Amino acid sequence: MSKTKEIVVLPGDGIGPEVTKEAIKILQTVCKRHDKKLSIRSFPVGGASIDRYGRPLTEEALTACRKSSAILLGAVGGGKWNDQPKDKRPEAALLQLRKELDLFANLRPITTYKSLLKSSPLKQEIVSGVDIMIVRELTGGIYFGRPRFIEQTEQGERGVDTLSYTTEEIERVAHTAFETAAKRDRKITSVDKANVLDSSRLWRKTVQESAKQWPEIELQHMLVDNCAMQLVRNPKQFDVILTGNMFGDILSDEASMITGSIGMLPSASLGEEFAMYEPVHGSAPDIAGQNKANPLAAIASVALMCRYSLGMPEAAREIEAAIEATLNDGFRTGDISSKPSKEYLADTTDMGSAVLKHLNPYMQPGNLL
Ligand code: IPM
Ligand code: MG
C-alpha cells in the first residue's frame, strides 16, 4: 500500500460543510478501491473560524495545509460577518490561503452534461458539447496589488486598488495554461484589456513570448469585453481560456451558466508545492443547513484532486462518470431541476449517495470509516 496521503478539509460556512461531507465520502470510497491510504483532518475556516477563534484562518489550520497532499475547501462567507473589517472577513481566509500557499493557477473546467442541457438558460445547440478550461491567475492582479486603501478627501472618500502584474507572474500561469492546452485541443485564448491597461499590454506580450516554446498550440488574444460576449454567443470556440485574477473571477461565473448552474463547477488551485480544491459556488447562506445544496461541484472537485494531487487519474474518471450517470438517472437538486416527470428532486445527501452507488453499488457510506 502506498504512503498515506494527508488531506485537509476546510468545510467553511453556509453549505460548505454539507457539500464537503458528501465529497469526502466519495473520496474515501475511491481511495479504498484504489488502495490509497488517507488521513483526513478538518479545521474551521472563514466565518466558522471567526466565531470560534476570532480570526478567519488560524496558524494551526495553515500549518496543517502546508503539510498536506491536498486541501478540500467548501465555501466561506455569509451576511453575518459582512460588517467585519476586511482582514477579519471570511473571504480573507481564502485569499490568505491562496497567497500563503502560492496557489497561482486556478483551473475551472466548464463541461456540459447531456442530461442537463435543458437547465442552461442558453439554447441547447449553443451549449451542447462545450468543454472549456479556464486558467485564472490567482495570487496577483488587482486582488493583491498595493497600494490599496480608502482615504478621506475634501469631498468625501476615495477608494484605491492597484492592478499590477510582473513578467514572472504572467509567465508561470501561462506555462500552466500551455501545459493544460497540450493535453486538450491545443488552443489558448488569452483574455486581457490590452486596448486600455498597461498591465494587460505586458500580459499579452509575455503570453506571446511564452507561446514560442509551444509551437503546436494555437494562441489567440481576446479583449475581456468581447470574451464575455463570445461566451454566450458561441462558447464552443473556446478550449483553454487564460486570464488574470479579476477577469477570471467574472468570466468563470458567467461561463458557469453554460453548464446550467454554478452548483456544478469544480476548481483546482495549484502551485508548485500545494493544491487546494473547491467548488466555485459560494456559501449560499439562504439554503445553508437545509440539505438542499448541490454537492456535485464539491464531488467533481474531489475528482480533480484525484487527478492532480493523488496520482489517481482513473479514480478521477470514475467519479466524473458516476456524476454523469447520476444525472442520467434523473437526480436533480433544486438548482438544476427543470422538473419534467423523469426527474427526482434530490437533497444533498440523496445526490451524494446516488453518486456513491454508481462508484460502488455494494458499499454503504457507513462501512467506510
Ligand atoms: C471565487 C470567489 C472569491 C474570489 C471570493 C469569495 C473572494 O468569488 O473564488 O471566485 O473573488 O476569488
Ligand atoms: Mg468568484
Side-chain angles (χ1 to χ4, degrees):
M1 198 177 252
S2 56
K3 206 170 146 261
T4 302
K5 297 281 183 187
E6 309 276 338
I7 308 293
V8 167
V9 186
L10 306 171
D13 308 321
I15 60 172
E18 299 160 65
V19 297
T20 46
K21 193 167 160 212
E22 295 310 309
I24 289 298
K25 285 187 211 161
I26 303 291
L27 181 65
Q28 288 173 317
T29 305
V30 293
C31 284
K32 188 155 190 165
R33 182 197 271 185
H34 290 267
D35 220 12
K36 188 79 79 180
K37 241 183 147 222
L38 290 180
S39 140
I40 300 179
R41 289 206 292 159
S42 179
F43 297 86
V45 73
S49 176
I50 296 173
D51 287 351
R52 191 140 162 214
Y53 304 111
R55 57 207 150 111
L57 182 69
T58 61
E59 223 19 79
E60 196 195 355
L62 187 57
T63 305
C65 290
R66 284 191 202 284
K67 290 190 186 138
S68 70
S69 302
I71 304 155
L72 177 68
L73 186 134
V76 293
K80 185 175 168 195
W81 305 281
N82 272 353
D83 297 333
Q84 300 271 346
K86 71 176 181 221
D87 56 329
K88 289 259 171 65
R89 285 177 61 107
E91 290 81 1
L94 191 55
L95 298 176
Q96 199 187 339
L97 279 165
R98 291 172 179 174
K99 196 70 176 174
E100 294 277 342
L101 303 175
D102 206 16
L103 306 172
F104 61 85
N106 182 222
L107 271 50
R108 298 187 163 184
I110 313 288
T111 25
T112 46
Y113 295 93
K114 252 204 177 109
S115 53
L116 274 193
L117 291 180
K118 289 189 300 287
S119 313
S120 174
L122 300 179
K123 290 196 190 100
Q124 292 195 31
E125 66 263 29
I126 289 184
V127 296
S128 77
V130 167
D131 182 3
I132 304 172
M133 180 67 90
I134 296 183
V135 180
R136 165 189 176 192
E137 199 290 327
L138 203 60
T139 49
I142 200 162
Y143 273 56
F144 294 97
R146 292 284 185 273
R148 56 183 301 167
F149 55 84
I150 298 179
E151 67 177 5
Q152 290 294 330
T153 65
E154 274 168 23
Q155 286 79 32
E157 285 179 298
R158 187 171 82 104
V160 173
D161 290 285
T162 300
L163 171 48
S164 137
Y165 268 118
T166 64
T167 310
E168 197 200 343
E169 285 173 319
I170 303 165
E171 266 168 7
R172 62 182 189 170
V173 72
H175 187 82
T176 306
F178 280 102
E179 269 186 340
T180 306
K183 293 186 204 127
R184 297 172 46 99
D185 287 344
R186 303 202 184 134
K187 186 176 166 196
I188 294 188
T189 306
S190 174
V191 175
D192 59 38
K193 188 71 187 172
N195 54 344
V196 177
L197 303 174
D198 278 328
S199 57
S200 278
R201 280 193 275 274
L202 181 67
W203 182 279
R204 195 172 275 217
K205 184 173 109 186
T206 308
V207 174
Q208 191 76 46
E209 196 56 37
S210 300
K212 292 184 183 154
Q213 296 164 41
W214 305 86
E216 73 282 16
I217 291 175
E218 182 196 333
L219 169 68
Q220 64 163 351
H221 302 280
M222 193 177 275
L223 297 173
V224 63
D225 45 353
N226 184 24
C227 181
M229 185 264 282
Q230 296 294 342
L231 271 172
V232 288
R233 193 185 75 88
N234 175 20
K236 271 180 256 196
Q237 69 184 287
F238 297 107
D239 177 25
V240 172
I241 292 180
L242 163 65
T243 192
N245 205 344
M246 176 82 127
F247 297 156
D249 179 44
I250 299 167
L251 293 176
S252 58
D253 267 30
E254 183 192 1
S256 76
M257 286 320 288
I258 296 171
T259 69
S261 166
I262 197 165
M264 293 299 298
L265 240 67
S267 81
S269 301
L270 310 175
E272 300 291 346
E273 281 181 82
F274 306 106
M276 183 161 82
Y277 298 85
E278 97 193 72
V280 174
H281 61 68
S283 57
D286 52 322
I287 56 162
Q290 298 171 37
N291 200 24
K292 277 187 184 166
N294 183 352
L296 293 180
I299 293 173
S301 298
V302 158
L304 296 181
M305 182 189 287
C306 291
R307 179 169 296 127
Y308 296 120
S309 291
L310 303 181
M312 301 197 298
E314 230 172 86
R317 282 193 293 274
E318 284 164 15
I319 297 172
E320 285 158 356
I323 292 174
E324 176 125 49
T326 302
L327 292 169
N328 288 344
D329 290 344
F331 284 87
R332 300 284 184 275
T333 40
D335 59 317
I336 49 174
S337 160
S338 50
K339 297 200 186 71
S341 53
K342 274 194 247 124
E343 290 183 4
Y344 314 105
L345 193 59
D347 59 27
T348 311
T349 38
D350 288 341
M351 195 68 138
S353 305
V355 177
L356 203 65
K357 245 190 183 150
H358 278 289
L359 283 168
N360 192 342
Y362 308 108
M363 195 173 283
Q364 293 303 314
N367 299 341
L368 294 170
L369 302 170

